[in-house]
Each structure stands twice: as C-alpha cells, then as structure tokens.
Amino acid sequence: MEATSRTQAETLPIPFDNSYARLPESFFSRVDPTPVEAPVLIRFNRALAEELGLDVARLEADGAAIFSGNTLLPGAEPLAMAYSGHQFGGFNPQLGDGRAILLGEVVDCTGRRRDIQLKGAGPTPYSRRGDGRAALGPVLREYIVSEAMQALGLPTTRALAAVVTGEPVYRETVEPGAVLTRVAASHIRVGTFQFHAARDDRAGVKALADHAIARHYPDLANDPQPYLAFLSAFADRQASLIARWLSIGFIHGVMNTDNVAISGETIDFGPCAFLDAYDPAKVFSSIDRNGRYAYAAQPGIGQWNLARLAETLLPLLDPDEEAAVTAANGVLKAYGERFQHHWLAAMRAKLGLSTPQDGDLDLVQDLLTHMHQEEADFTLTFRRLADLAADPSTEDRFTALFRNPASTSLWLDRWRRRVGAEGRSPTDTAAAMRTVNPAFIPRNHRIEQAIAAARTDADFSPFDALLRVLARPYDDQPEMSPFAEPPAPGEEVLRTFCGT
Ligand code: AMP
Ligand code: MG
C-alpha cells in the first residue's frame, strides 16, 4: 500500500505531501483557485523546480494552465490559511489568505518540506472586499526581489513561476492581472499564532506550535521546554535575518505580524526596497507615514513582533502566568543581544575583518555616519571598499562616492591600519569582502523600468535581464555594469506601493 502510493506520488508532476491540510479544519478554508480567461506563462523557474523534484518538462509544457490555477494537479489540496495580524500596530483578528491559495507541499531533494502557493488565484473566504487577484507589477516585483534575496544568500520565499491571466484587475488604474507561484518553507506567520490565541483556542496554539517545531525547528522537539526553546530559536533567526537585511540595505517596508514567517524566511515583498544613498531613517512605502518600518527601525520592530508571538505562547511556557512572563521576557531581552551580535558580525565581514576586536563597532558606526552625511551609495561604498582592499590605486573610485571625497581619508587610514593588523593578504581580504558586499542589488529604478516595459509593451526583456544579472550579485559582470549604478537624477524612485 505504502509502496504503491509512493510510486504514484513519484510519477505526479508535483509529488504533493500536504501536512498543513491535516491540521484541524479551523486552521484554514478549503477553496479552489478561480480559473482565468487566457493565461500565459511569463516565467518558469526551472532550477527551483528541479530542486523541488518536480516534473520540469510537464510543468514547462502546461505551465500556463497549472500556474494560473486553471488546471489542478492530482494531489493538490487547495486551501486558504487563516491568520490574524497587527498591521502598523493595530490588531486585526480576521486576515487570512485573501488572494493566495496553498496548493500543497513537496519535500525537496534535500529533504526540506516546501509550500507551493498561488498568489492572485481568486477570492477566498478571507478576501473581505478584495478581488483575490494580483496585478502584474507586484508579481514581477516579488519575483525579482525574492530571487535576488536568494542569490544574495538570505533566507527567503522563492518564485517558481509567473503567469499573466489575460484579465484586467482594477486598482488605481486598470492593470494586467497575474499570478505568482510562491515557494516557502511554510506560510506560517506570527499572525497564524495570533489567530488562535485571539480566539482563546489553546489547543489550536499548541497544535500549531507542535507543527511549526516539527517543521522548522525539529531539533527542539525533545527539549525539556520545547515552546520556550522554539520562541528563543525563532528570536535568533529573526535577529539574524534582520541583521542581514540591514547588511545589504534592505527595507522590508511592511513588517506587520502577518508578514513575519515563523520559518525565519523573508516573506511578502510588497513595498520593499533597497537603499541607494545610505539613510537610516529611509522609508519608501507610501503607506508608512510615520516611518514605523524605516530601515533602522527594523531591529526594534523585530522585537515588537517577537513580543506578539511570545504573548500567544504564554500558556504553553508555564502554567504559572508570572513565571511564563519572566521566561518570555528573558527571550525578548536576549533578542537585542543576538541582533547586535549578528549585525556586528555581518558589518565586520563587510569591512574585511575576520576577527573581532575592541573598537570595531566604532569603526563601523563612524563609516555609516559619514556615509549618511555624505550621501554615499550603500552598496557601492562597500563594494568599492573591497576593490580598494586589493588595489590602492582605486581609492578615487571609492572616495568619489562621497559628496566631499577628501572627507573619507581619516576613516580610510583607521580602516587600513585595522585591516592590516589582521595579517591576511590584500587579495584574500578583497575576495572575502566580495562574497558579502554585492555588486548588484535590485535597484528600485531598475525594478520600475522592468515593470513599466512589461506592463505597457508586454516587453519582458528588461525583467529577464534584471533576473539574469541578479542571479550572480557577488560577481563582477563588467558587461552589466549599468545595473550596478544608482539611479541618475530623475530616475530615483521616491515611493513604493503595496500593490494589493
Ligand atoms: P498584504 O498587504 O499583502 O500583507 O495583505 C494583507 C491582507 O490583505 C492579507 O490578508 C491579504 O490576503 C489581503 N489582501 C491583499 N490584497 C488582496 C486582494 N486583492 N484580494 C483579497 N485580499 C487581499
Ligand atoms: Mg501579507
């Protein structure tokens, strides 16, 4: 029996094995995608499909029907997940997948379980007044940025495919409709825990925690205090993730608790953006009027979100409420230290320092302060510092990034002395720096150009070009050097939008 079903699963184009659909029915609503008029496959991520163990030839041939939701493959158990969430600090008990439908899960070639979800696949019981659809622009944006994050080496959801639906969606203007196929370690969010806690469903919180531990933190299953260990491990992943966001100049833009994945992956690429000139107070999102999710606010918001998860777990931490609160507070406090540790480690590496020394924090912070004052481009500053580590004759290219180039000399002297004391060869230092200081990031103006060409002329070549260059962000690609440049005057993107 077992053997038969396994053989059968192996011959399916997507060998589904759906653990979430086996959780209590209160966790989700079963709902099929709504078929669309005239789907066309824009892009299929062959490498990811292979990693997931999917039938690449079949998916490539029938991609338009499959990745639009028009054809449901055997083994899929479509459902919309229930969740709540704090949005900009205010609690909304009733969110859930309003335009996303989980088709099911697969176990990839390394044994990792991954969700396959259609985003923009039609209304669900959680759609409220929304149409359940996605516009082409946000779909391309998520495709580009999530795949760039993967290539940059950060934990992230992935993009398996994008289709246009042949149907319009109505936003501020009429937009082409599209569907993104998203792959994630899971779509369980802080808000998923809040959903059950808000209903005082303790059994639900426990079942979800057990599922999340088994799936994302399997080493903790036998811990004497598995729920505290889970909270603490999540805190560390969150601290590490946000430190890495800062280290590449990423602003998530909408760190609501429903957009925080329990797996520790980056999820929900709505109004996200990368810094050009360094400014810790930078905000791009049109709806973030008070800068709640500004670049440098992200670590603190990570802790705020962690506190919201901790609240849902209190009854599992200790039967005595006071003891539970004390335990949770210990994790919250440790988060601050963990963040600082991960961040300083990342920034040291960016400066080419392989061993910790007193004074490193000042060296990092003084550079950042200077970059801010002098409006230096975040990405190019570090990339050209790597060039400078190998070749002193490139100093002018580095200093030219600062409004007043001469102002960098004192800091550069300190940095040279500090790097010199490490005893690594200049070539080795530069090579190490180039593995953490990307040459290419998804610059906002490039994303907008790719979207504009696709939307107005159905020209996907800028989108394809951008994906190609961002697949190797740490390699110099001289023929692609315009993609490394910040926006020219007039090209700057001032605002980004959720695009819902
Ligand atoms: P987001 O801003 O993408 O994190 O979405 C917040 C909430 O709004 C989630 O519950 C989404 O499912 C829901 N939502 C966003 N866009 C739509 C839409 N077009 N139709 C239905 N629900 C939506
Ligand atoms: Mg969301």
Side-chain angles (χ1 to χ4, degrees):
M1 187 64 199
E2 265 262 277
T4 325
S5 62
R6 195 171 310 122
T7 318
Q8 211 173 35
E10 274 165 11
T11 59
L12 295 177
I14 300 182
F16 286 110
D17 173 20
N18 307 326
S19 65
Y20 204 81
R22 297 194 283 267
L23 289 170
E25 293 282 330
S26 63
F27 281 52
F28 51 80
S29 298
R30 296 188 191 272
V31 56
D32 284 352
T34 304
V36 300
E37 199 67 40
V40 176
L41 185 65
I42 307 168
R43 182 96 190 177
F44 173 59
N45 189 339
R46 204 169 217 279
L48 178 58
E50 277 163 7
E51 181 185 317
L52 296 177
L54 313 185
D55 179 346
V56 171
R58 169 77 202 280
L59 295 180
E60 218 151 41
D62 295 340
I66 292 166
F67 297 121
S68 61
N70 282 16
T71 294
L72 259 189
L73 291 174
E77 292 176 89
L79 60 86
M81 291 168 66
Y83 53 85
S84 305
H86 275 90
Q87 300 183 302
F88 290 91
F91 187 61
N92 187 338
Q94 191 64 48
L95 291 170
D97 289 331
R99 53 161 171 173
I101 294 180
L102 178 67
L103 294 179
E105 301 151 31
V106 294
V107 177
D108 74 14
C109 61
T110 65
R112 278 202 302 164
R113 179 175 291 279
R114 315 274 282 271
D115 276 6
I116 300 183
Q117 187 204 59
L118 301 182
K119 192 169 171 187
T124 77
Y126 312 113
S127 294
R128 293 169 292 161
R129 269 159 295 168
D131 58 5
R133 293 298 181 190
L136 178 61
V139 164
L140 297 183
R141 192 180 179 79
E142 175 155 353
Y143 202 119
I144 294 164
V145 184
S146 64
E147 287 304 298
M149 290 297 255
Q150 165 70 19
L152 287 162
L154 277 75
T156 179
T157 65
R158 304 286 307 272
L160 179 63
V163 298
V164 283
T165 60
E167 294 178 359
V169 294
Y170 300 92
R171 299 294 181 257
E172 264 155 43
T173 52
V174 183
E175 304 281 339
V179 179
L180 179 83
T181 304
R182 177 159 70 183
V183 171
S186 86
H187 285 85
I188 302 167
R189 307 140 193 270
V190 169
T192 320
F193 282 85
Q194 292 181 290
F195 177 86
H196 300 289
R199 284 155 186 77
D200 233 350
D201 177 6
R202 291 190 180 192
V205 173
K206 183 173 182 307
L208 183 63
D210 290 338
H211 177 84
I213 290 170
R215 198 159 165 181
H216 301 304
Y217 302 88
D219 298 349
L220 307 181
N222 297 319
D223 193 282
Q225 288 183 285
Y227 305 108
L228 185 61
F230 163 57
L231 184 65
S232 173
F234 167 78
D236 188 57
R237 280 194 203 172
Q238 203 59 32
S240 163
L241 180 68
I242 296 172
R244 298 193 66 190
W245 287 354
L246 295 200
S247 81
I248 55 165
F250 181 72
I251 307 173
H252 182 282
V254 61
M255 293 173 68
N256 295 334
T257 56
D258 54 307
N259 293 334
V260 178
I262 291 297
S263 65
E265 289 181 341
T266 310
I267 190 169
D268 225 308
F269 298 85
C272 64
F274 281 75
L275 290 173
D276 292 306
Y278 176 65
D279 174 2
K282 188 72 188 171
V283 173
F284 287 95
S285 170
S286 62
I287 57 169
D288 189 2
R289 296 213 174 77
N290 299 314
R292 180 180 170 86
Y293 300 136
Y295 171 82
Q298 297 180 110
I301 289 293
Q303 190 176 43
W304 195 90
N305 290 338
L306 175 64
R308 305 290 79 75
L309 177 64
E311 285 163 0
T312 72
L313 296 175
L314 285 177
L316 297 178
L317 296 185
D318 201 297
D320 175 57
E321 199 180 323
E322 211 172 301
V325 170
T326 305
N329 277 334
V331 176
L332 289 171
K333 184 162 174 290
Y335 165 90
E337 291 154 16
R338 295 309 296 158
F339 171 78
Q340 190 62 18
H341 166 84
H342 289 300
W343 179 80
L344 190 53
M347 297 310 290
R348 261 196 197 104
K350 286 179 82 70
L351 295 190
L353 309 176
S354 59
T355 53
Q357 298 259 322
D358 288 346
D360 288 349
L361 182 59
D362 286 344
L363 189 67
V364 171
Q365 238 141 22
D366 291 349
L367 174 63
L368 290 173
T369 303
H370 198 59
M371 287 164 65
H372 182 206
Q373 284 163 352
E374 298 286 323
E375 297 173 22
D377 183 82
F378 184 84
T379 304
L380 289 183
T381 297
F382 290 101
R383 186 70 181 185
R384 291 193 186 167
L385 195 63
D387 297 340
L388 185 53
D391 179 0
S393 77
T394 64
E395 183 165 332
D396 288 352
R397 272 175 57 75
F398 175 81
T399 60
L401 296 168
F402 296 75
R403 263 193 318 189
N404 170 12
S407 68
T408 57
S409 64
L410 281 179
W411 186 86
L412 276 178
D413 285 344
R414 280 166 67 198
W415 172 71
R416 282 197 192 94
R417 273 197 306 272
R418 174 68 182 82
V419 174
E422 295 242 315
R424 272 201 294 193
S425 79
T427 333
D428 287 353
T429 301
M433 290 172 77
R434 289 195 186 106
T435 67
V436 288
N437 294 330
F440 300 98
I441 52 157
R443 300 239 179 213
N444 306 314
H445 65 295
R446 290 288 176 183
I447 298 175
E448 294 301 332
Q449 286 164 7
I451 291 173
R455 194 158 74 194
T456 53
D457 304 323
D459 174 8
F460 292 94
S461 51
F463 168 68
D464 291 333
L466 198 50
L467 285 180
R468 204 167 338 112
V469 67
L470 292 172
R472 291 163 46 218
Y474 296 108
D475 290 353
D476 283 321
Q477 303 174 54
E479 70 289 0
M480 300 303 240
S481 62
F483 285 92
E485 294 300 322
E491 278 184 336
E492 294 103 331
V493 172
L494 303 176
R495 287 272 164 270
T496 53
F497 302 89
C498 276
T500 49

